[in-house]
Amino acid sequence: MKSGIHPDYNTVVFRDLASGETFLTRSTVSSSKTIEWEDGNSYPVIDVEISSASHPFYTGKQRIMDSAGRVEKFNSRYKNFGK
């Protein structure tokens, strides 16, 4: 690797605003806000609106659209239209 062209790779905390979960990981992203982690050290914190802790796909709370039921409802509503 060439020296001096890559961004710094540091430990940061990602905080999910929807669920309140926090994740300690490494990233090239930085922030001026800091948070004290469980080990007593302060790390930069990045606030995210949604993560795997609150995303409906990963939590199992995803709604499945019933497209067949929607078509049947539309047909029953407008079956006499134009006659």
Coordinates of all heavy atoms in Angstrom, one line a residue:
M1 N 0.8 -1.2 0.0 CA 0.0 0.0 0.0 C 0.9 1.2 0.0 O 1.9 1.3 0.7 CB -0.9 0.0 1.2 CG -2.0 -1.0 1.2 SD -3.3 -0.9 2.4 CE -2.6 -0.1 3.8
K2 N 0.4 2.2 -0.7 CA 1.1 3.5 -0.7 C 0.9 4.2 0.6 O -0.2 4.2 1.2 CB 0.6 4.4 -1.9 CG 1.0 3.9 -3.2 CD 0.6 4.9 -4.3 CE 1.0 4.4 -5.6 NZ 0.6 5.4 -6.7
S3 N 1.9 4.9 1.1 CA 1.7 5.6 2.4 C 1.2 7.0 2.1 O 1.5 7.6 1.1 CB 3.0 5.7 3.1 OG 4.0 6.4 2.3
G4 N 0.3 7.5 3.0 CA -0.2 8.8 3.0 C -1.4 9.1 2.1 O -1.9 10.2 2.0
I5 N -1.9 8.0 1.5 CA -3.1 8.3 0.6 C -4.4 7.6 1.2 O -5.5 7.9 0.7 CB -2.9 7.7 -0.8 CG1 -2.7 6.2 -0.8 CG2 -1.8 8.4 -1.5 CD1 -2.8 5.6 -2.2
H6 N -4.3 6.8 2.2 CA -5.4 6.2 2.8 C -5.9 6.9 4.0 O -5.1 7.5 4.8 CB -5.1 4.7 3.2 CG -4.6 3.9 2.0 ND1 -5.5 3.4 1.1 CD2 -3.4 3.5 1.7 CE1 -4.8 2.8 0.2 NE2 -3.5 2.8 0.5
P7 N -7.3 6.9 4.3 CA -7.8 7.6 5.4 C -7.5 6.9 6.7 O -7.2 5.7 6.7 CB -9.3 7.7 5.2 CG -9.6 6.6 4.2 CD -8.3 6.4 3.4
D8 N -7.5 7.6 7.8 CA -7.3 6.9 9.1 C -8.4 5.9 9.4 O -9.6 6.2 9.2 CB -7.2 8.0 10.2 CG -6.0 8.8 10.1 OD1 -5.0 8.3 9.5 OD2 -6.0 10.0 10.6
Y9 N -8.0 4.8 10.0 CA -8.9 3.7 10.3 C -8.9 3.6 11.8 O -8.0 3.0 12.4 CB -8.5 2.4 9.6 CG -9.5 1.3 9.7 CD1 -10.7 1.4 9.1 CD2 -9.1 0.1 10.3 CE1 -11.6 0.3 9.1 CE2 -10.0 -1.0 10.4 CZ -11.2 -0.9 9.8 OH -12.1 -1.9 9.8
N10 N -10.0 4.1 12.5 CA -10.0 4.2 13.9 C -11.2 3.5 14.5 O -12.2 3.2 13.8 CB -10.0 5.7 14.4 CG -8.7 6.4 14.0 OD1 -7.6 5.8 14.0 ND2 -8.9 7.6 13.5
T11 N -11.2 3.3 15.8 CA -12.3 2.8 16.5 C -13.4 3.9 16.7 O -13.0 5.0 17.2 CB -11.9 2.2 17.9 OG1 -10.8 1.3 17.7 CG2 -13.0 1.5 18.6
V12 N -14.6 3.6 16.4 CA -15.7 4.5 16.6 C -16.9 3.8 17.1 O -17.0 2.5 17.0 CB -16.1 5.2 15.3 CG1 -15.0 6.1 14.7 CG2 -16.6 4.2 14.2
V13 N -17.9 4.5 17.6 CA -19.2 4.0 18.1 C -20.3 4.4 17.2 O -20.4 5.6 16.9 CB -19.4 4.4 19.6 CG1 -20.8 3.9 20.1 CG2 -18.3 3.9 20.5
F14 N -21.1 3.5 16.7 CA -22.3 3.9 16.0 C -23.5 3.7 16.9 O -23.7 2.7 17.5 CB -22.5 3.0 14.8 CG -21.5 3.3 13.6 CD1 -20.3 2.6 13.5 CD2 -21.9 4.2 12.7 CE1 -19.4 2.9 12.5 CE2 -21.0 4.6 11.7 CZ -19.8 3.9 11.6
R15 N -24.3 4.8 17.0 CA -25.5 4.8 17.9 C -26.7 4.9 17.0 O -26.9 5.8 16.2 CB -25.4 6.0 18.8 CG -26.6 6.1 19.8 CD -26.5 7.1 20.8 NE -25.9 8.3 20.3 CZ -25.4 9.3 21.1 NH1 -25.3 9.1 22.3 NH2 -24.9 10.4 20.5
D16 N -27.6 3.9 17.2 CA -28.9 3.8 16.4 C -29.9 4.7 17.2 O -30.2 4.4 18.3 CB -29.4 2.4 16.4 CG -30.6 2.2 15.5 OD1 -31.2 3.2 15.1 OD2 -31.0 1.1 15.3
L17 N -30.4 5.7 16.5 CA -31.3 6.7 17.2 C -32.7 6.1 17.4 O -33.4 6.5 18.3 CB -31.4 8.0 16.4 CG -30.1 8.8 16.3 CD1 -30.3 10.0 15.4 CD2 -29.6 9.2 17.6
A18 N -33.1 5.1 16.5 CA -34.4 4.5 16.6 C -34.5 3.5 17.8 O -35.5 3.5 18.5 CB -34.7 3.8 15.3
S19 N -33.5 2.7 18.0 CA -33.5 1.7 19.1 C -32.7 2.0 20.3 O -32.8 1.4 21.3 CB -33.2 0.3 18.5 OG -31.8 0.3 18.2
G20 N -31.7 2.9 20.1 CA -30.8 3.2 21.2 C -29.6 2.3 21.3 O -28.8 2.4 22.2
E21 N -29.5 1.3 20.5 CA -28.4 0.4 20.5 C -27.1 1.1 20.1 O -27.1 2.0 19.3 CB -28.6 -0.8 19.5 CG -29.7 -1.8 19.9 CD -29.2 -2.7 21.0 OE1 -28.0 -3.1 20.9 OE2 -30.0 -3.1 21.8
T22 N -26.0 0.6 20.6 CA -24.7 1.2 20.3 C -23.8 0.1 19.9 O -23.8 -1.0 20.4 CB -24.0 1.9 21.5 OG1 -24.0 1.1 22.6 CG2 -24.8 3.2 21.8
F23 N -22.9 0.3 18.9 CA -22.0 -0.7 18.3 C -20.6 -0.1 18.3 O -20.4 1.0 17.8 CB -22.4 -1.0 16.9 CG -23.8 -1.5 16.7 CD1 -24.8 -0.7 16.4 CD2 -24.1 -2.9 16.9 CE1 -26.1 -1.1 16.2 CE2 -25.4 -3.3 16.8 CZ -26.4 -2.5 16.4
L24 N -19.7 -0.8 18.9 CA -18.3 -0.4 18.8 C -17.6 -1.1 17.7 O -17.6 -2.4 17.6 CB -17.5 -0.7 20.1 CG -16.1 -0.3 20.2 CD1 -15.9 1.2 20.2 CD2 -15.5 -0.9 21.5
T25 N -17.0 -0.4 16.7 CA -16.4 -1.0 15.6 C -15.3 -0.1 15.1 O -15.0 0.9 15.7 CB -17.5 -1.3 14.5 OG1 -16.9 -2.0 13.4 CG2 -18.1 0.0 13.9
R26 N -14.7 -0.4 13.9 CA -13.7 0.4 13.3 C -14.2 1.0 12.0 O -14.9 0.3 11.3 CB -12.4 -0.4 13.2 CG -11.8 -0.8 14.5 CD -10.6 -1.6 14.4 NE -9.6 -1.0 13.5 CZ -8.6 -0.2 14.0 NH1 -8.5 0.0 15.3 NH2 -7.7 0.3 13.2
S27 N -13.8 2.2 11.7 CA -14.3 2.8 10.5 C -13.4 4.0 10.2 O -12.6 4.5 11.0 CB -15.7 3.4 10.7 OG -16.2 4.1 9.6
T28 N -13.5 4.5 8.9 CA -12.7 5.6 8.5 C -13.5 6.9 8.8 O -13.0 8.0 8.6 CB -12.4 5.6 7.0 OG1 -13.6 5.5 6.2 CG2 -11.5 4.4 6.7
V29 N -14.8 6.8 9.2 CA -15.6 8.0 9.5 C -15.2 8.5 10.8 O -14.8 7.8 11.8 CB -17.1 7.5 9.6 CG1 -18.0 8.7 10.0 CG2 -17.5 7.0 8.3
S30 N -15.2 9.9 11.0 CA -14.8 10.5 12.2 C -15.9 11.5 12.6 O -16.8 11.8 11.8 CB -13.5 11.2 12.1 OG -13.6 12.2 11.2
S31 N -15.9 11.9 13.9 CA -16.9 12.8 14.4 C -16.3 13.6 15.5 O -15.3 13.2 16.2 CB -18.1 12.0 15.0 OG -19.0 12.9 15.6
S32 N -16.9 14.8 15.7 CA -16.4 15.7 16.8 C -17.1 15.3 18.1 O -16.5 15.6 19.2 CB -16.6 17.1 16.5 OG -18.0 17.4 16.3
K33 N -18.2 14.6 18.1 CA -18.9 14.2 19.3 C -18.2 12.9 19.8 O -17.8 12.0 19.0 CB -20.4 13.9 19.0 CG -21.2 15.1 18.6 CD -22.6 14.9 18.6 CE -23.0 13.9 17.6 NZ -24.5 13.7 17.4
T34 N -18.2 12.8 21.1 CA -17.6 11.6 21.7 C -18.5 11.0 22.7 O -19.5 11.6 23.2 CB -16.2 11.9 22.4 OG1 -16.5 12.8 23.4 CG2 -15.2 12.4 21.4
I35 N -18.3 9.7 23.0 CA -19.1 9.0 24.0 C -18.2 8.1 24.8 O -17.1 7.6 24.3 CB -20.2 8.1 23.3 CG1 -21.2 7.6 24.3 CG2 -19.6 7.0 22.5 CD1 -22.4 6.9 23.7
E36 N -18.5 7.9 26.1 CA -17.6 7.1 26.9 C -18.2 5.7 26.8 O -19.4 5.4 27.1 CB -17.6 7.5 28.4 CG -16.7 6.8 29.2 CD -16.5 7.4 30.6 OE1 -16.6 8.6 30.7 OE2 -16.3 6.6 31.5
W37 N -17.4 4.7 26.4 CA -17.8 3.3 26.2 C -17.6 2.6 27.5 O -17.1 3.1 28.5 CB -16.9 2.7 25.1 CG -17.4 1.4 24.6 CD1 -16.7 0.2 24.7 CD2 -18.6 1.1 23.9 NE1 -17.5 -0.8 24.2 CE2 -18.6 -0.3 23.7 CE3 -19.7 1.9 23.5 CZ2 -19.7 -0.9 23.0 CZ3 -20.7 1.3 22.9 CH2 -20.7 -0.1 22.6
E38 N -18.1 1.3 27.5 CA -18.1 0.5 28.7 C -16.7 0.2 29.3 O -16.6 -0.1 30.5 CB -18.8 -0.8 28.4 CG -20.2 -0.7 27.9 CD -20.7 -1.8 27.1 OE1 -20.0 -2.8 26.8 OE2 -21.9 -1.8 26.8
D39 N -15.7 0.3 28.4 CA -14.3 0.0 28.9 C -13.7 1.3 29.5 O -12.5 1.2 30.0 CB -13.5 -0.5 27.8 CG -13.3 0.5 26.6 OD1 -13.9 1.6 26.7 OD2 -12.6 0.1 25.6
G40 N -14.4 2.4 29.6 CA -13.9 3.6 30.2 C -13.2 4.6 29.2 O -12.9 5.7 29.6
N41 N -13.0 4.2 28.0 CA -12.4 5.0 27.0 C -13.4 5.9 26.3 O -14.6 5.5 26.1 CB -11.6 4.2 26.0 CG -10.4 3.5 26.6 OD1 -9.8 4.0 27.5 ND2 -10.1 2.3 26.1
S42 N -13.0 7.0 25.7 CA -13.9 7.9 24.9 C -13.6 7.6 23.5 O -12.5 7.6 23.1 CB -13.7 9.3 25.3 OG -14.2 9.6 26.5
Y43 N -14.7 7.4 22.7 CA -14.6 7.2 21.3 C -15.5 8.2 20.5 O -16.5 8.6 21.1 CB -15.0 5.8 20.9 CG -14.2 4.7 21.6 CD1 -14.7 3.9 22.6 CD2 -12.9 4.4 21.1 CE1 -13.9 3.0 23.2 CE2 -12.1 3.4 21.7 CZ -12.6 2.7 22.7 OH -11.9 1.7 23.3
P44 N -15.2 8.5 19.3 CA -16.1 9.3 18.5 C -17.4 8.5 18.3 O -17.4 7.3 18.1 CB -15.4 9.5 17.2 CG -14.0 9.1 17.4 CD -14.0 8.2 18.6
V45 N -18.5 9.2 18.3 CA -19.8 8.6 18.1 C -20.5 9.1 16.8 O -20.4 10.3 16.5 CB -20.7 8.8 19.3 CG1 -21.1 10.3 19.5 CG2 -22.0 8.0 19.2
I46 N -21.0 8.2 16.0 CA -21.7 8.5 14.8 C -23.2 8.1 15.0 O -23.5 6.9 15.3 CB -21.2 7.7 13.6 CG1 -19.6 7.9 13.5 CG2 -21.9 8.1 12.3 CD1 -19.2 9.3 13.2
D47 N -24.1 9.1 14.9 CA -25.5 8.8 15.1 C -26.1 8.4 13.7 O -26.0 9.1 12.7 CB -26.3 10.0 15.6 CG -25.9 10.3 17.0 OD1 -25.6 9.4 17.8 OD2 -25.9 11.5 17.4
V48 N -26.8 7.2 13.7 CA -27.4 6.7 12.5 C -28.9 6.6 12.8 O -29.3 6.3 13.9 CB -26.9 5.4 12.0 CG1 -25.4 5.6 11.5 CG2 -26.9 4.3 13.0
E49 N -29.8 6.8 11.8 CA -31.2 6.8 12.0 C -31.7 5.3 12.0 O -32.7 5.1 12.7 CB -31.9 7.6 10.9 CG -31.6 9.0 11.0 CD -32.5 9.9 10.1 OE1 -33.5 9.4 9.6 OE2 -32.1 11.0 9.8
I50 N -31.1 4.4 11.3 CA -31.6 3.1 11.3 C -30.4 2.1 11.1 O -29.4 2.5 10.5 CB -32.6 2.9 10.1 CG1 -33.3 1.6 10.3 CG2 -31.9 3.0 8.8 CD1 -34.6 1.5 9.5
S51 N -30.4 1.0 11.8 CA -29.3 0.0 11.7 C -30.0 -1.4 11.7 O -31.2 -1.5 11.7 CB -28.4 0.2 12.8 OG -28.9 -0.2 14.1
S52 N -29.2 -2.4 11.8 CA -29.7 -3.8 11.9 C -30.5 -4.0 13.1 O -31.4 -4.9 13.2 CB -28.6 -4.8 11.8 OG -27.7 -4.6 12.9
A53 N -30.4 -3.2 14.2 CA -31.1 -3.3 15.4 C -32.5 -2.8 15.3 O -33.4 -3.2 16.0 CB -30.4 -2.6 16.5
S54 N -32.8 -1.9 14.3 CA -34.1 -1.3 14.2 C -34.7 -1.5 12.8 O -35.9 -1.1 12.6 CB -34.1 0.2 14.5 OG -33.2 0.8 13.6
H55 N -34.0 -2.0 11.8 CA -34.5 -2.2 10.5 C -35.6 -3.3 10.5 O -35.3 -4.4 11.0 CB -33.4 -2.5 9.5 CG -33.8 -2.4 8.1 ND1 -34.5 -3.3 7.4 CD2 -33.6 -1.4 7.2 CE1 -34.7 -2.9 6.2 NE2 -34.2 -1.7 6.0
P56 N -36.7 -3.1 9.9 CA -37.8 -4.1 9.9 C -37.4 -5.4 9.3 O -37.9 -6.5 9.7 CB -38.9 -3.4 9.1 CG -38.7 -2.0 9.1 CD -37.2 -1.8 9.3
F57 N -36.5 -5.4 8.3 CA -36.1 -6.7 7.6 C -35.4 -7.5 8.6 O -35.5 -8.7 8.7 CB -35.3 -6.4 6.4 CG -34.8 -7.6 5.7 CD1 -35.7 -8.4 4.9 CD2 -33.5 -8.1 5.9 CE1 -35.2 -9.5 4.3 CE2 -33.1 -9.2 5.3 CZ -33.9 -10.0 4.5
Y58 N -34.5 -6.9 9.4 CA -33.6 -7.7 10.3 C -34.3 -8.0 11.6 O -33.9 -9.0 12.3 CB -32.3 -6.9 10.6 CG -31.5 -6.8 9.4 CD1 -31.3 -5.5 8.8 CD2 -30.8 -7.9 8.8 CE1 -30.6 -5.4 7.6 CE2 -30.0 -7.7 7.7 CZ -29.9 -6.5 7.1 OH -29.2 -6.3 6.0
T59 N -35.3 -7.2 12.0 CA -36.0 -7.5 13.3 C -37.2 -8.4 13.1 O -37.7 -8.9 14.1 CB -36.5 -6.2 13.9 OG1 -37.4 -5.6 13.0 CG2 -35.4 -5.3 14.2
G60 N -37.6 -8.7 11.9 CA -38.7 -9.7 11.6 C -40.0 -9.0 11.7 O -41.1 -9.6 11.7
K61 N -40.1 -7.7 11.7 CA -41.3 -6.9 11.8 C -41.7 -6.4 10.4 O -42.5 -5.4 10.3 CB -41.2 -5.8 12.8 CG -41.0 -6.3 14.2 CD -40.9 -5.2 15.2 CE -40.6 -5.7 16.6 NZ -40.4 -4.7 17.5
Q62 N -41.2 -7.0 9.4 CA -41.5 -6.5 8.0 C -42.9 -6.9 7.6 O -43.3 -8.0 7.9 CB -40.5 -7.1 7.0 CG -40.6 -6.6 5.6 CD -39.5 -7.1 4.7 OE1 -38.8 -8.0 5.1 NE2 -39.4 -6.5 3.6
R63 N -43.6 -6.0 7.0 CA -45.0 -6.3 6.6 C -44.9 -6.8 5.2 O -44.2 -6.3 4.3 CB -45.8 -5.0 6.6 CG -46.0 -4.5 8.0 CD -47.0 -3.3 8.0 NE -46.8 -2.4 6.9 CZ -47.6 -1.4 6.6 NH1 -48.7 -1.3 7.2 NH2 -47.3 -0.6 5.6
I64 N -45.7 -7.8 4.9 CA -45.7 -8.4 3.6 C -47.0 -7.9 2.9 O -48.1 -8.1 3.4 CB -45.7 -9.9 3.6 CG1 -44.4 -10.4 4.2 CG2 -45.9 -10.5 2.2 CD1 -44.3 -11.9 4.5
M65 N -46.9 -7.3 1.7 CA -48.0 -6.8 1.0 C -48.8 -8.0 0.3 O -48.2 -8.8 -0.3 CB -47.6 -5.8 0.0 CG -47.1 -4.6 0.5 SD -48.2 -3.3 -0.1 CE -47.5 -1.9 0.4
D66 N -50.1 -8.0 0.5 CA -50.9 -9.0 -0.1 C -51.4 -8.5 -1.4 O -52.5 -7.9 -1.5 CB -52.0 -9.4 0.8 CG -52.9 -10.5 0.3 OD1 -52.4 -11.2 -0.6 OD2 -54.0 -10.6 0.7
S67 N -50.7 -8.7 -2.5 CA -51.0 -8.1 -3.8 C -52.3 -8.8 -4.4 O -53.1 -8.2 -5.0 CB -49.9 -8.2 -4.8 OG -49.5 -9.5 -5.0
A68 N -52.4 -10.1 -4.1 CA -53.6 -10.8 -4.7 C -54.9 -10.2 -4.0 O -55.9 -10.0 -4.7 CB -53.5 -12.3 -4.5
G69 N -54.8 -10.0 -2.7 CA -56.0 -9.4 -2.0 C -56.3 -8.0 -2.5 O -57.5 -7.7 -2.5
R70 N -55.3 -7.3 -2.8 CA -55.5 -5.9 -3.3 C -56.2 -5.9 -4.6 O -57.1 -5.1 -4.9 CB -54.2 -5.1 -3.4 CG -53.5 -5.0 -2.0 CD -52.2 -4.3 -2.2 NE -52.3 -3.0 -1.7 CZ -51.4 -2.1 -1.9 NH1 -50.4 -2.3 -2.6 NH2 -51.5 -0.9 -1.4
V71 N -55.8 -6.8 -5.5 CA -56.4 -6.9 -6.8 C -57.9 -7.3 -6.7 O -58.8 -6.8 -7.4 CB -55.6 -7.9 -7.8 CG1 -56.4 -8.2 -9.0 CG2 -54.3 -7.3 -8.0
E72 N -58.2 -8.3 -5.9 CA -59.5 -8.8 -5.7 C -60.4 -7.7 -5.1 O -61.6 -7.5 -5.4 CB -59.5 -10.0 -4.8 CG -58.9 -11.2 -5.4 CD -58.7 -12.4 -4.4 OE1 -59.1 -12.2 -3.2 OE2 -58.2 -13.4 -4.8
K73 N -59.8 -6.9 -4.2 CA -60.6 -5.8 -3.6 C -60.9 -4.7 -4.6 O -62.0 -4.2 -4.7 CB -59.8 -5.2 -2.4 CG -60.5 -4.1 -1.6 CD -59.6 -3.7 -0.5 CE -60.3 -2.6 0.3 NZ -59.4 -2.1 1.4
F74 N -59.9 -4.4 -5.5 CA -60.2 -3.5 -6.6 C -61.2 -4.0 -7.5 O -62.2 -3.2 -7.9 CB -58.9 -3.2 -7.3 CG -59.0 -2.3 -8.5 CD1 -59.0 -1.0 -8.3 CD2 -59.2 -2.8 -9.8 CE1 -59.1 -0.1 -9.4 CE2 -59.3 -2.0 -10.9 CZ -59.3 -0.6 -10.7
N75 N -61.2 -5.2 -7.9 CA -62.2 -5.8 -8.8 C -63.6 -5.8 -8.2 O -64.5 -5.6 -8.9 CB -61.8 -7.2 -9.3 CG -60.6 -7.2 -10.2 OD1 -60.3 -6.2 -10.9 ND2 -59.8 -8.3 -10.3
S76 N -63.7 -6.2 -6.9 CA -65.0 -6.2 -6.3 C -65.6 -4.8 -6.2 O -66.8 -4.6 -6.3 CB -64.9 -6.9 -5.0 OG -64.2 -6.1 -4.1
R77 N -64.7 -3.8 -6.0 CA -65.2 -2.4 -5.8 C -65.7 -1.8 -7.1 O -66.6 -1.1 -7.2 CB -64.0 -1.6 -5.3 CG -64.5 -0.1 -5.0 CD -63.3 0.7 -4.5 NE -63.0 0.3 -3.2 CZ -61.9 0.7 -2.5 NH1 -61.0 1.5 -3.1 NH2 -61.6 0.2 -1.3
Y78 N -65.0 -2.2 -8.2 CA -65.3 -1.5 -9.5 C -65.9 -2.5 -10.5 O -65.8 -2.3 -11.7 CB -64.0 -0.9 -10.1 CG -63.6 0.3 -9.2 CD1 -62.4 0.1 -8.4 CD2 -64.2 1.5 -9.2 CE1 -62.0 1.2 -7.6 CE2 -63.8 2.5 -8.4 CZ -62.7 2.4 -7.6 OH -62.2 3.4 -6.8
K79 N -66.5 -3.6 -10.1 CA -67.0 -4.6 -11.0 C -68.2 -4.1 -11.9 O -68.3 -4.5 -13.0 CB -67.4 -5.9 -10.3 CG -68.6 -5.7 -9.4 CD -68.9 -7.0 -8.7 CE -70.0 -6.8 -7.7 NZ -70.2 -8.0 -6.9
N80 N -69.0 -3.2 -11.4 CA -70.1 -2.7 -12.2 C -69.8 -1.3 -12.8 O -70.7 -0.7 -13.3 CB -71.3 -2.6 -11.3 CG -71.8 -4.0 -10.8 OD1 -71.7 -4.9 -11.6 ND2 -72.3 -4.1 -9.6
F81 N -68.6 -0.8 -12.7 CA -68.3 0.5 -13.3 C -68.3 0.5 -14.8 O -67.7 -0.4 -15.4 CB -66.9 0.9 -12.8 CG -66.5 2.3 -13.2 CD1 -67.1 3.4 -12.6 CD2 -65.6 2.5 -14.2 CE1 -66.7 4.7 -12.9 CE2 -65.3 3.8 -14.6 CZ -65.8 4.9 -14.0
G82 N -69.0 1.4 -15.4 CA -69.1 1.5 -16.9 C -70.2 0.6 -17.5 O -70.2 0.6 -18.7
K83 N -71.0 0.0 -16.8 CA -72.0 -0.9 -17.4 C -73.3 -0.1 -17.5 O -73.7 0.8 -16.8 CB -72.3 -2.1 -16.6 CG -71.1 -3.1 -16.7 CD -71.4 -4.4 -16.0 CE -70.3 -5.4 -16.2 NZ -70.5 -6.6 -15.7

